[in-house]
Amino acid sequence: MRLNQCYNFQDFRKLAKQRLPGPIFNYIDGGADDETTYRRNTEAFEECDLLPSVLTGVEDIDLSVTVMGQKLDMPVYCSPTALQRLFHHQGERATAGAAEKYGTMFGVSSLGTVSLEEIAQQTSTPQVYQFYFHKDRGLNRAMMERAKAAGVQVMMLTVDSITGGNRERDLRTGFSIPFRLTLAGLIQFAIKPMWGLHYVFHEKFSLPQLDAHINMGSSTSSIGDYFTNMLDPTMNWDDVAEMVKFWDGQFCLKGIMTVEDAKRAVDIGCTGIVISNHGGRQLDGARSSFDQLAEIVDAVGDKIDVLFDSGIQRGTHVLKALSLGAKAVGIGRMYLYPLAAAGQPGVERALGLMQQELIRDMRLMGCKSISELSRKNLRFR
């Protein structure tokens, strides 16, 4: 299978599985516990039907939206994800370049493998910094100051990851950073030698946002240790309110799933929230993001920008989320599979296909602009 034979989410997933060692593919592909929430995230869209209008004159389609002060050419953005140079040696450089080509927003993670500063110099696309809250308050402030100095437009605090989810696929393969693979995991690396060659002969793996604070080359330090030992499970609304005040700009909470929490985000001065269950990778059995979207939009949609992620695989999924009131939709695996399969050309193909789907589907819906989408376009079974 080749990149030009990929036309949808499942095609990119298949190609990534062909090219990645099993432990790394399963790190992207897996969810928590029994992966119930992971599956439900996409299944939820199947219970909602689109209701198109006809004869509306839809030759020209405007996909642009404005989210947290950022003008995007399409209502889909690349959510911040960790460890991208493990999946492909270009890592965040490839994703940022593709996002810029399609005029959309891109996020860098605290566990990103390319520095904020390099991405800011490389691209002009709006940049989000996905932030984890550490026990060391001085470290939190230093990292925010660094992000502000780099020109980051949006601070996005992840609030559903004070501890890591139970990702049993990773336990079975021994996936960790640094690698501590089981025999089965080692065999998977041996039968996918091209990945290993790229890993060895390109720049050394690192986490530039955290290199000064955590030694990932140590045999005693790992990503799991980072979540367990450095992140602060006592984080509360007062802590976040101080961060919002210190940042003094566009500030978004990622991982909101209840009306009550959405209202608190408004009260402390956030400008955005992301309705998200972390792609089913944290609390298994949690409700799907799509199932929670309408009631949260009804409660706070006129006071704060409501974004959405988890489970998106098609342009029609995006249109359903936008029709319920989301301002924009984040994708994760949908660009990580093509990144792993082919680097920047892969991400560009995925975003290009999404753009084509959205334009075609908007015409079929009888809508010329995103603002014309509404709940009148939907029926639930």
Side-chain angles (χ1 to χ4, degrees):
M1 189 174 191
R2 297 180 180 179
L3 181 62
N4 62 7
Q5 296 173 305
C6 292
Y7 294 97
N8 59 39
F9 180 93
Q10 295 299 334
D11 290 343
F12 288 119
R13 180 181 180 275
K14 181 178 179 181
L15 186 57
K17 189 173 184 178
Q18 289 177 1
R19 297 189 177 183
L20 285 177
I24 295 179
F25 173 79
N26 280 299
Y27 174 77
I28 299 174
D29 195 60
D33 291 353
D34 298 314
E35 302 186 349
T36 304
T37 298
Y38 174 20
R39 293 190 299 273
R40 175 62 191 170
N41 277 337
T42 300
E43 291 170 356
F45 290 103
E46 297 175 8
E47 296 172 16
C48 176
D49 297 325
L50 292 166
L51 194 63
S53 299
V54 297
L55 303 177
T56 59
V58 288
E59 180 179 2
D60 297 320
I61 302 296
D62 180 9
L63 294 178
S64 66
V65 293
T66 299
V67 182
M68 292 181 292
Q70 315 307 311
K71 178 71 178 292
L72 311 183
D73 291 343
M74 60 191 297
V76 176
Y77 66 94
C78 295
S79 293
T81 58
L83 310 181
Q84 290 186 28
R85 282 205 293 116
L86 271 189
F87 316 142
H88 189 277
H89 62 88
Q90 292 178 324
E92 289 86 352
R93 300 180 183 103
T95 310
E100 181 176 46
K101 179 175 179 178
Y102 284 92
T104 193
M105 197 160 63
F106 162 74
V108 176
S109 170
S110 294
L111 293 171
T113 54
V114 177
S115 73
L116 291 166
E117 292 82 0
E118 180 178 340
I119 295 298
Q121 292 173 3
Q122 171 190 333
T123 64
S124 58
T125 191
Q127 187 176 349
V128 172
Y129 183 38
Q130 180 260 337
F131 192 85
Y132 288 117
F133 191 84
H134 301 87
K135 294 176 182 177
D136 183 342
R137 301 302 200 267
L139 171 59
N140 290 333
R141 180 162 293 216
M143 292 178 74
M144 284 195 291
E145 288 174 340
R146 176 178 175 179
K148 191 172 285 287
V152 168
Q153 289 91 348
V154 179
M155 178 62 66
M156 183 178 283
L157 176 67
T158 297
V159 292
D160 63 357
S161 301
I162 55 173
T163 189
N166 181 35
R167 302 171 194 173
E168 292 176 354
R169 293 202 210 184
D170 297 342
L171 297 177
R172 293 188 188 99
T173 64
F175 177 87
S176 68
I177 303 296
F179 293 127
R180 299 170 186 165
L181 299 171
T182 63
L183 177 59
L186 287 169
I187 292 172
Q188 284 293 312
F189 277 78
I191 63 177
K192 301 287 176 69
M194 285 305 297
W195 181 92
L197 289 172
H198 283 302
Y199 184 78
V200 170
F201 289 105
H202 287 89
E203 66 191 289
K204 183 180 177 182
F205 181 83
S206 67
L207 300 171
Q209 275 66 253
L210 292 172
D211 278 347
H213 314 289
I214 180 172
N215 179 12
M216 297 310 299
S218 167
S219 61
T220 61
S221 185
S222 70
I223 295 296
D225 295 329
Y226 170 76
F227 278 96
T228 301
N229 299 322
M230 292 192 70
L231 300 191
D232 191 350
T234 71
M235 177 177 61
N236 58 45
W237 286 102
D238 290 338
D239 294 322
V240 179
E242 289 183 11
M243 290 183 67
V244 173
K245 184 177 180 181
F246 178 76
W247 180 253
D248 192 27
Q250 299 290 339
F251 198 105
C252 182
L253 299 187
K254 180 178 181 290
I256 297 296
M257 287 292 290
T258 69
V259 166
E260 293 74 20
D261 286 344
K263 289 179 177 178
R264 292 291 295 273
V266 173
D267 290 343
I268 65 171
C270 293
T271 57
I273 55 174
V274 184
I275 312 306
S276 170
N277 57 38
H278 218 100
R281 293 166 69 80
Q282 287 296 97
L283 178 65
D284 195 33
R287 204 163 190 232
S288 81
S289 299
F290 187 67
D291 287 330
Q292 281 299 94
L293 178 57
E295 65 182 75
I296 293 175
V297 168
D298 287 345
V300 300
D302 59 340
K303 302 178 183 69
I304 196 169
D305 283 353
V306 178
L307 288 73
F308 169 91
D309 75 29
S310 299
I312 294 289
Q313 295 185 9
R314 282 288 188 185
T316 50
H317 296 165
V318 174
L319 295 191
K320 290 174 183 180
L322 295 173
S323 295
L324 281 184
K327 293 291 182 67
V329 171
I331 56 172
R333 293 181 181 92
M334 192 167 186
Y335 76 82
L336 289 178
Y337 292 134
L339 170 67
Q344 184 166 337
V347 183
E348 288 182 2
R349 182 167 177 84
L351 290 176
L353 288 169
M354 172 57 76
Q355 183 186 65
Q356 291 172 25
E357 282 194 29
L358 289 172
I359 291 172
R360 179 174 57 248
D361 294 339
M362 287 283 286
R363 285 184 174 139
L364 292 172
M365 285 294 296
C367 296
K368 296 184 287 293
S369 66
I370 299 301
S371 62
E372 294 180 10
L373 294 170
S374 73
R375 296 185 195 182
K376 293 179 182 179
N377 308 132
L378 303 179
R379 294 292 185 274
F380 284 85
R381 299 179 188 178

